[in-house]
Amino acid sequence: MAGEPQDDCLFCKIVAGLIPATIIRETATTVAFRDINPQAPTHVLVIPKAHHMDVAALATEAPELAVDILRETKAVADDEKLDSYRTVFNTGSGAGQTVWHAHAHVIGGRGMQWPPG
Ligand code: 5GP
Ligand code: ZN
């Protein structure tokens, strides 16, 4: 059921403390931790503690959590002293989503190109 922990979900396991992660921020509803394969000097993932499969599902099933995620992306950028940064929600495998638990990538600390690859 939407919002319930999933036994086979990597990010639910990080929320539960079953898999280690470098957690840099936590709120009642969110966790922010460093990506294991960083694409820039700062690469942090912000996730809801509740399981929702992607950001679109999150916005439909628990819109208040979508706002919590966006608020935390800004807090991460402030903590990391980033004036410019990119917030990415890969949605669907064709767009590069590999973990089916909603997450924002906060990427910064280097110059970036547009359009993205
Ligand atoms: P996606 O490809 O779904 O948009 O993003 C998933 C992200 O999770 C990838 O950037 C990947 O490097 C990261 N990731 C995968 N496994 C782990 C892990 O065990 N720990 C951490 N911290 N990040 C992970
Ligand atoms: Zn999950």
Side-chain angles (χ1 to χ4, degrees), residues 10-11 14 19-21 33-37 43 45 90 96-99 103 105:
L10 177 66
F11 289 175
I14 287 177
I19 292 178
F33 54 93
R34 298 200 186 277
D35 196 292
I36 203 167
N37 183 23
H43 188 167
L45 302 174
N90 294 324
Q97 187 176 3
T98 59
V99 178
H103 52 280
H105 297 253

Side-chain angles (χ1 to χ4, degrees), residues 87-103:
T87 304
V88 175
F89 293 93
N90 294 324
T91 306
S93 54
Q97 187 176 3
T98 59
V99 178
W100 303 94
H101 179 132
H103 52 280

Side-chain angles (χ1 to χ4, degrees), residues 21-26 31-34 42 44-45 76 79-80:
T22 305
I23 293 172
I24 63 166
R25 294 184 58 85
E26 183 170 3
V31 181
F33 54 93
R34 298 200 186 277
T42 291
V44 172
L45 302 174
V76 167
D79 286 355
E80 298 282 306

